[in-house]
Structure formats: structure tokens, C-alpha cells
Amino acid sequence: MEKRKLGSSNLEVSLVGLGTNNFGGRMDVEAARPVIHKAIDLGITHFDTADIYGNSGGSETIIGEVLGPRRKEVTLATKFGKPMAGSTEQHRGSRGYIISAVEASLKRLKTDWIDLLWMHEPDPTTPIEETMHTLDGLIKAGKVRHVGSSNYLGAQLDQAVIVAKKRGYEGFVAAQDELSLTERKIEKTLIPSLKRNGISLVPYFPLGGGALTGKYRKGQALPEGSRHASADNRFLGPNWDKIEALHDFADKRGHTLLELAMSWLACQPIVASIIAGATRVEQLDLNAKSVNWKLTDEEMAEIDKITA
């Protein structure tokens, strides 16, 4: 599995990452165990979780229990900043909250350090100076290696970068945001800031919430047991014509829609790792192989016309 450097840091991450938001919810520890070990065996070593995943803490707890001595084989990323179940805390970018959240994550993950700590969303109630100072302190203490933003606007990210540079703090090296062939808003709202500041992108929902897996076709019944209860939702509803055109594009070239969706992201120089979930080991094989299509400039231009 190809590895890429994360922004200006010396941290390398696998091009395909493992999203673990199903751990502790749809998947218990015994269901997650083979997925975790198979991912590592395939070279999918960037594991992405969050303190809120799995009914607040469940995903981190499962990862901590299963990894054991294989902890050093993975790049472990988690997030803080969205409300935990039962919490009424509003100042989730404050020093006290961040330190408490990180200590809790370290305990659940059964690790002494977090490779990549994401701030899951901005906190408008806390000065960004306090947030960046606290994150820098965690890095200096060795509890966190690097930090990233998630769901920030370009202007918010620019402000965080300015503060970090002015104060000499270790700033954000990556941003985790939604990008796919059916959702390209951040190309105008965020990616210009990433490029200006040398920050990598780690896309989530790379398959458009399942719309780009190849399972869904316009005018056909939704597959039994699929995640979408209706064909009229934000992932499928506005995108049926695009999905069908992308199906045709991939079919003509002997590839699947999934391969097109993942390889299109892999061909973006700013992308360091692509977060893809998996509930079965068979999905891991597909994900690992899905980034090998080297799209030409002409193909990328045609895709732009389809998805613009």
C-alpha cells in the first residue's frame, strides 16, 4: 500500500485508511477484530476514529482492545470537539475540555500517544489562540504527534494557521473534510486554503455515502439491507444522472464505479489518505485495490465535465 506524507510533517499515512465509525455500533468487538487485523495485513495502517463514534467511546474502546502489540504498526487518528452523549459542554475548543478529552481517548485506546488528533469541528465560543496553544502543549508533552482540522471553512483554517505561525505553535498539518465525485463544494471553499498553507486533505465519504459503490442504479429498487431507506436523500437524490454517467465512464474503461471514485481522489496531489469504512474483510480487499487506476489528464477533464 502506497504511503504519503501528511502536510509538512514527517508522518506518513497509508493512501487508503480505515474508517471505524461502525465500531461499537453496527459492529461489536468480535466483528471488528478480523477487519482490524486484515487491514494491517493489507497495508491499510491509517486508522481513523473519534471519541463520539460507537455511541461515544465504543469505537476507541474496541480499537484499544484489539490492537494490542500491533499498536506500533498503525497510524492512529482520533477526534475531539463534537458533543459526547449526555454532555452539555459548549466550549469544546477550550484548554480544559481538550485535555480531558485527550486523556479519555488515550485511556480507551490503551495507548500513550495519538499519532494524529483532529478537532472535529470549530468552536466559535473559544478563542482560536487558546485552542492552538493547548494542542501545541499536547504535542510538546508527547501525548499527540500531529494535529488536524475537520469541517473548518477556509477562512477559519487560515486564522488557525496565522495564529500558529505567529506564536510558533505546531499547527494543523491536515484537514479531514467531505470530498467525492458527487460532493465537490470544498474545492472552492477550503482547498485553496489548504494549498496556500501546505496542508494535506484526508477526504471522508469518498464513496458519496455509498452512492458510488456501484450498488445503486437509477430506476432500480434499492438493494435489500442497503444503508439508504429512500432513493430521495442527499447522497442519491440530486446525483442520479451523475452516478449513471460515471458508471458508463468506468464501464467503458473496464473499471468499476468504486475504482473510479477512489482513484479520482488518489490522483489529487493534495490527498494524503482516503478514509473508507469496512464492515467485512472482503471490503478491505476491494478498498486496497481501488486506488490503482492512474487516470490521465484527459480522463480527469472528462470527469470534471460529468460532475461539474
Side-chain angles (χ1 to χ4, degrees), residues 28-149:
D28 62 15
V29 65
E30 294 309 317
R33 191 183 305 277
V35 170
I36 287 173
H37 288 300
K38 179 66 172 181
I40 299 173
D41 293 342
L42 288 171
I44 300 175
T45 54
H46 176 203
F47 283 22
D48 182 81
T49 187
D51 56 6
I52 65 166
Y53 291 170
N55 301 313
S56 289
S59 176
E60 289 181 328
T61 299
I62 286 175
I63 292 170
E65 180 173 340
V66 174
L67 274 182
R70 304 197 81 175
R71 164 66 183 94
K72 293 182 179 180
E73 297 180 53
V74 305
T75 301
L76 194 51
T78 193
K79 309 178 194 72
F80 75 93
K82 285 200 172 185
M84 296 286 279
S87 173
T88 58
E89 176 61 59
Q90 299 296 313
H91 309 292
R92 296 187 294 274
S94 66
R95 176 177 176 79
Y97 184 89
I98 294 172
I99 291 174
S100 175
V102 168
E103 291 295 344
S105 287
L106 288 168
K107 185 176 181 180
R108 287 189 291 264
L109 290 165
K110 295 184 179 179
T111 185
D112 295 325
W113 79 99
I114 294 165
D115 294 298
L116 180 58
L117 178 68
W118 300 99
M119 187 168 183
H120 212 157
E121 65 183 8
D123 171 18
T125 71
T126 302
I128 190 64
E129 289 84 356
E130 179 178 344
T131 299
M132 300 310 293
H133 177 65
T134 304
L135 295 175
D136 186 67
L138 288 167
I139 293 171
K140 287 183 169 62
K143 294 180 183 292
V144 173
R145 291 181 65 191
H146 300 285
V147 293
S149 66

Side-chain angles (χ1 to χ4, degrees), residues 212 214 216-218 240-258 260 293 299 302-303 306:
L212 299 169
Y216 302 95
R217 302 304 300 258
K218 186 176 182 180
W240 279 118
D241 290 339
K242 289 181 185 178
I243 293 166
E244 288 301 307
L246 291 167
H247 261 293
D248 292 343
F249 179 94
D251 286 344
K252 289 176 183 176
R253 292 160 177 81
H255 289 278
T256 65
L257 181 59
L258 184 146
L260 174 58
W293 182 3
E299 287 172 329
E302 188 173 342
I303 291 166
I306 294 171

